[in-house]
Amino acid sequence: MDVPAQMRAVRFTGAGDNGVVRVGHEPVPDPGPGEVLVHVAAAGLNRADIAQREGRYPPPRGASEIPGLEVSGTVAALGPEAGMPGEGRFAVGDRVCALLAGGGFAEYVAVPAGQLMAVPDGVGLVEAAALPAVACTVHSALVGRAGVQAGDRVLVHGATGGIGSFAVQFLAALGARVLGTAGGPEKVALGRRLGAEHMFDHRAAESGAFAPWVKEVTDGHGADVILDVVGAPYLAPNVSALAPEGRIVTLAVQGGAVPEDFNIMKLVVKRGWLTGATLRSRSVVDKAGIVAAAERAVWPLVAAGRIDASVGACFPLAEAAAAQTRFTAALPCLAGSSSVTEAMGRVVDGQRWGLGTIPGARFKGGWGSTPEGYVVRQLGIVPGTKGDLAVTLQVRTGTHEEGTAIADELARSVRLPRSGPVPWPWAGPRPGPGTWAPG
């Protein structure tokens, strides 16, 4: 296969919003010892890519600065053999997908041979690009870390998200009894269709109310395993929901990383344990083992149609910024996400009121928290002269529950225009005492 000298690739010119995304030309990488050069057909977009763009998640030392943690494509060239895992398995022209530490948003990428996988039978190259990161994450967390077996009761938070929806399908196929949390009736119904026996609507209940629900639907047993992506706000209720000898695996901290108040003895008396799972910073040898285990266990389920490799949208490489806009607009308003980028606002009396742009977004309500300790309540979406505006109220307070109550009370005092352009800067009504509206 002829390989050109130059390729197109995505770079970030700094930390920030989509304005830092650039598509340019640069040399095609040479595959080093134990590496394979892949001609990229498609690359998956993940939260980690957004975090890297925002300056919150730099690539590991020695990894490519080009974003992109998973790709699919065809083998274009082979590097010299170096006794590394996976060498000799693939030939030029083979269809593959791969787990990366970076470099995927380009026309070519050099990949350690052990991080390549064959494209599952019956799966196209575009769909295959959405598999490596989620399959390796879910399998290594649930089987490698938590030791999930058939019959285990497993609680999956965010059961209809990218990680959660894959986890629910995998667990159901494994024979586990799946419980899930999600926000809103539509997502609850989707979770059941994916294979969850029971679903909990967290938008229709107080924060942490899933814990007694878990005990109820498991006849007092609790969850043997909990897959968590929320973090600090869910630590105490997760432990409360845990069965004796239970395991909590944390993959992300979308709601914050530092618990405000937690009694570690509640975990100790259950003989439970709390662990985390990451992939990007693992060694090449570690990743080769994770990739091989996931391919053995998960690929037959994908090929049999028991796990759906779904793709939400496709964009050409030249529209990398538009792809990230689409991705972030679909994220919930939680710490670490970019669904709401505060455009203006300041702190007065410990409270903050601001506007953020979400082009083309649709608002369905919700709340979250920020690393700075704010509870966030989305109040509405109004059309604006610079795109749709997400109106958010952020309240600093002692506990998540107190902050949610304050946000609810203040939200009732706000009246938002429902039609017509919104002036810029904001010139709408000011919220209640102690807050500040830009303009």
Side-chain angles (χ1 to χ4, degrees):
M1 180 180 292
D2 293 333
V3 178
Q6 294 282 309
M7 68 176 185
R8 291 181 303 155
V10 174
R11 293 274 186 176
F12 300 143
T13 59
D17 59 16
N18 283 349
V20 305
V21 180
R22 295 288 186 274
V23 180
H25 288 82
E26 55 188 85
V28 171
D30 291 322
E35 291 186 335
V36 172
L37 184 68
V38 175
H39 185 197
V40 176
L45 176 60
N46 293 277
R47 281 180 183 265
D49 301 308
I50 306 301
Q52 179 176 332
R53 187 199 72 200
E54 294 174 340
R56 297 183 291 105
Y57 191 38
R61 181 178 298 178
S64 172
E65 294 285 341
I66 297 171
L69 304 181
E70 55 185 348
V71 298
S72 64
T74 54
V75 174
L78 305 175
E81 291 193 3
M84 297 297 289
E87 289 180 344
R89 180 183 175 194
F90 295 105
V92 172
D94 285 350
R95 300 194 328 152
V96 294
C97 53
L99 179 72
L100 311 172
F105 293 175
E107 292 178 314
Y108 289 87
V109 61
V111 187
Q115 292 170 219
L116 290 176
M117 295 168 275
V119 174
D121 293 340
V123 176
L125 281 177
V126 171
E127 290 75 18
L131 286 172
V134 68
C136 291
T137 297
V138 167
H139 185 265
S140 64
L142 291 174
V143 177
R145 300 295 294 165
V148 169
Q149 299 179 5
D152 281 347
R153 299 164 177 87
V154 184
L155 173 63
V156 178
H157 289 303
T160 59
I163 292 289
S165 60
F166 196 97
V168 169
Q169 294 177 85
F170 172 69
L171 288 164
L174 193 66
R177 301 182 61 183
V178 187
L179 294 71
T181 66
E186 293 181 0
K187 291 185 178 181
V188 164
L190 173 58
R192 292 194 179 101
R193 291 197 299 272
L194 291 170
E197 289 185 26
H198 304 280
M199 286 292 299
F200 180 83
D201 185 353
H202 63 72
R203 288 186 182 170
E206 296 294 326
S207 176
F210 64 84
W213 169 82
V214 169
K215 291 296 186 68
E216 178 183 351
V217 299
T218 60
D219 297 323
H221 178 81
D224 299 300
V225 175
I226 298 176
L227 189 66
D228 182 43
V229 294
V230 178
Y234 274 15
L235 178 56
N238 275 342
V239 172
S240 178
L242 202 64
E245 309 282 353
R247 293 88 73 195
I248 301 171
V249 184
T250 299
L251 297 180
V253 289
Q254 297 168 12
V258 182
E260 294 180 351
D261 184 21
F262 176 66
N263 183 353
I264 194 69
M265 283 304 299
K266 293 186 177 180
L267 183 64
V268 172
V269 297
K270 288 190 173 183
R271 304 176 305 284
W273 55 265
L274 171 66
T275 187
T278 62
L279 285 180
R280 192 178 190 185
S281 60
R282 302 285 289 271
S283 71
V284 170
V285 173
D286 282 351
K287 287 180 183 175
I290 290 168
V291 164
E295 187 175 7
R296 287 193 302 269
V298 179
W299 263 218
L301 301 175
V302 174
R306 301 187 69 181
I307 296 178
D308 177 33
S310 60
V311 174
C314 293
F315 293 80
L317 186 65
E319 298 178 14
Q324 294 189 33
T325 297
R326 166 69 181 267
F327 183 88
T328 55
L331 294 176
C333 182
L334 291 172
S337 81
S338 301
S339 59
V340 177
T341 302
E342 190 177 55
M344 49 180 60
R346 65 185 180 189
V347 178
V348 175
D349 295 334
Q351 297 167 1
R352 183 166 59 187
W353 166 263
L355 297 175
T357 57
I358 311 182
R362 294 292 180 268
F363 178 72
K364 294 184 178 180
W367 56 267
S369 60
T370 72
E372 297 89 352
Y374 286 91
V375 169
V376 179
R377 174 63 186 264
Q378 289 185 339
L379 304 182
I381 290 288
V382 292
T385 55
K386 290 194 176 183
D388 291 349
L389 301 177
V391 183
T392 67
L393 179 63
Q394 303 179 32
V395 181
R396 187 187 294 278
T397 186
T399 69
H400 206 129
E401 289 74 20
E402 290 173 359
T404 302
I406 293 171
D408 285 342
E409 181 179 352
L410 292 175
R412 287 191 289 270
S413 70
V414 178
R415 298 292 182 267
L416 300 174
R418 295 301 177 185
S419 62
V422 174
W424 193 269
W426 173 259
R430 294 177 181 271
T435 62
W436 179 84

